[in-house]
Amino acid sequence: MKVPFLDLKAINAAYREEFIAAATRVIDSGWYIQGQEVQAFEREFAEYCGVKYCVGVGNGLDALILTLRAWKELGKLKEGDEVIVPANTYIATIFAITENRLTPVLVEPDENTYNLSPVLAEKAVTSKTKVILPVHLYGRLAEMPEIMDIAKRHGLLVLEDAAQAHGASFQGKKAGSWGDAAGFSFYPGKNLGALGDGGAVTTNDEELANTIRALGNYGSHKKYENLYKGVNSRLDEMQAALLRVKLKRLDQENIGRRNVAKIYLERINNPIIVLPAWKAYEQHVFHLFVVRCSKRDELQKYLNESGVQTLIHYPLPPHKQQAFVEWPNQNILLTESIHTEVLSLPMSPVMSLESLNEVVEVVNAFS
């Protein structure tokens, strides 16, 4: 493959010596769970996002699950309450809702941004609605000023799914600082990726942060005393140490991604390819560069044969998955159309100009 979709080895190579030093520090400490590295990363990531609290957890899905669970424990939610969520998100967002026995209300996205439509979200509000769960899909911050206005008018909680949007911001506010809480993933392929699984919740609510921390530690706030029927979901010391290294250069890597996106947007001129919308510079960190094409499958086959690796995010929307076979047929036509047309082109902060030119050339030649 001449142009891989994502070369994680190349991305992480720049950190090799710092990784070794960080790993050595953890090994030599003799403390591998809930130690100084996790505490330091939580402080640093909270400061980066512009919030008071960060709680490290096992992965991005747990970040969302535990936040909703904490709101239940705090009496802000109960089983059956409705959560408004974009219909075209990755299925993990939906799992966080159903795992808590809450009811997902699937809302169509904006066709240009692929993010939750504020207009349609407000139309979906009922007396049972308690949460809006916007997803910063592909790295583009959702329309948070409008969403927060809706939440304020209707007395709703807002939980950001920021798994793909580390560092995205609008009007000086970063992803993870808009809602009542936000869930992040540090899966290796993310903009801020660990060398394994990891996740975090950010919030300005101290009570919520303490509840999430206890829930992820067997429901315990104090050793051998359990307030809740908790689980084991903790960011470990090694991943925290490695994430501290990468956090220092996250903004630099995001600039690299934007530079790649800028070249794509300027040079791809194939009339049957729909390019992503991008207005405010810092609003998009391009975790993915997603185009649409009515001949998506033919395009992907052609690119693969030309040595350009692509992926589909995502082939099937959640409501069409076997996991939710019990759901009734739903009229979510735009989402279904999007999932048959989207294709993710290679995107990386370390892509060479040669690779970029290769992708542009073969995409433009497709007919």
Side-chain angles (χ1 to χ4, degrees):
M1 189 63 63
K2 289 187 289 185
V3 184
F5 178 76
L6 178 67
D7 189 345
L8 283 178
K9 184 177 179 180
I11 291 174
N12 287 321
Y15 300 99
R16 180 177 177 82
E17 296 306 317
E18 292 174 272
F19 279 165
I20 292 172
T24 301
R25 189 170 67 242
V26 173
I27 294 167
D28 291 348
S29 75
W31 194 300
Y32 309 121
I33 298 291
Q34 293 190 312
Q36 293 183 0
E37 296 293 338
V38 169
Q39 293 171 14
F41 174 74
E42 289 177 340
R43 288 194 303 271
E44 291 160 7
F45 193 62
E47 181 179 359
Y48 176 82
C49 292
V51 297
K52 294 179 181 178
Y53 307 104
C54 169
V55 182
V57 296
N59 52 69
L61 174 56
D62 282 357
L64 298 176
I65 289 176
L66 292 174
T67 302
L68 293 171
R69 168 78 187 280
W71 280 332
K72 288 177 69 178
E73 296 289 354
L74 293 171
K76 296 184 178 183
L77 296 178
K78 64 180 184 305
E79 289 187 12
D81 282 345
E82 293 179 351
V83 180
I84 290 174
V85 64
N88 62 316
T89 186
Y90 181 53
I91 199 168
T93 317
I94 312 297
F95 284 158
I97 300 169
T98 57
E99 180 68 17
N100 280 287
R101 298 185 180 181
L102 301 168
T103 303
V105 177
L106 305 181
V107 173
E108 292 271 47
D110 179 281
E111 188 171 9
N112 295 315
T113 68
Y114 308 117
N115 280 334
L116 181 67
S117 164
V119 173
L120 296 180
E122 186 156 28
K123 288 181 179 178
V125 174
T126 72
S127 61
K128 294 183 178 180
T129 306
K130 294 295 182 290
V131 183
I132 302 178
L133 208 171
V135 180
H136 307 314
L137 198 63
Y138 309 147
R140 189 188 195 281
L141 197 74
E143 306 304 315
M144 293 309 297
E146 293 90 338
I147 290 170
M148 295 309 298
D149 284 345
I150 293 168
K152 185 176 180 180
R153 285 197 300 273
H154 296 277
L156 307 176
L157 296 164
V158 175
L159 172 57
E160 301 171 64
D161 183 338
Q164 300 183 358
H166 315 72
S169 67
F170 184 66
Q171 297 177 344
K173 283 178 65 66
K174 281 193 172 72
S177 68
W178 285 87
D180 298 280
F184 285 88
S185 167
F186 303 126
Y187 183 79
K190 303 298 186 186
N191 290 40
L192 180 59
L195 271 66
D197 267 323
V201 178
T202 56
T203 183
N204 285 312
D205 185 335
E206 183 178 15
E207 185 179 33
L208 177 66
N210 290 339
T211 305
I212 292 169
R213 190 178 302 282
L215 285 169
N217 187 36
Y218 300 99
S220 175
H221 68 299
K222 184 178 180 182
K223 195 167 186 177
Y224 302 128
E225 293 184 18
N226 304 77
L227 290 170
Y228 313 105
K229 298 181 180 71
V231 297
N232 179 356
S233 182
R234 303 174 299 207
L235 181 64
D236 73 66
E237 284 287 284
M238 187 66 75
Q239 297 304 333
L242 301 177
L243 286 167
R244 292 183 68 198
V245 171
K246 296 188 75 174
L247 179 59
K248 297 173 185 177
R249 282 185 261 173
L250 175 57
D251 287 341
Q252 180 182 337
E253 289 206 356
N254 283 341
I255 290 172
R257 289 174 178 272
R258 292 188 185 108
N259 289 339
V260 170
K262 185 178 180 181
I263 291 174
Y264 277 154
L265 290 168
E266 289 176 348
R267 300 184 185 176
I268 294 176
N269 54 26
N270 191 320
I272 65 172
I273 304 294
V274 179
L275 297 170
W278 183 22
K279 293 183 180 179
Y281 177 76
E282 293 185 342
Q283 191 172 9
H284 208 323
V285 292
F286 289 97
H287 171 60
L288 300 171
F289 189 93
V290 180
V291 301
R292 286 177 66 188
C293 180
S294 59
K295 300 164 65 176
R296 190 269 308 280
D297 293 342
E298 295 97 315
L299 174 61
Q300 185 177 40
K301 182 174 183 293
Y302 160 78
L303 290 174
N304 185 63
E305 291 173 349
S306 301
V308 176
Q309 184 182 27
T310 61
L311 292 177
I312 298 173
H313 297 89
Y314 304 96
L316 281 176
H319 71 282
K320 290 291 186 180
Q321 297 283 357
Q322 182 66 27
F324 293 121
V325 68
E326 74 276 10
W327 284 1
N329 290 329
Q330 301 188 55
N331 185 27
I332 313 180
L333 300 182
L334 174 58
T335 288
E336 292 174 13
S337 174
I338 287 172
H339 282 258
T340 64
E341 296 182 353
V342 290
L343 187 67
S344 300
L345 301 183
M347 168 54 71
S348 163
V350 297
M351 275 188 76
S352 67
L353 185 58
E354 180 182 6
S355 293
L356 273 168
N357 289 335
E358 179 72 18
V359 176
V360 170
E361 181 179 343
V362 295
V363 169
N364 284 338
F366 177 73
S367 60

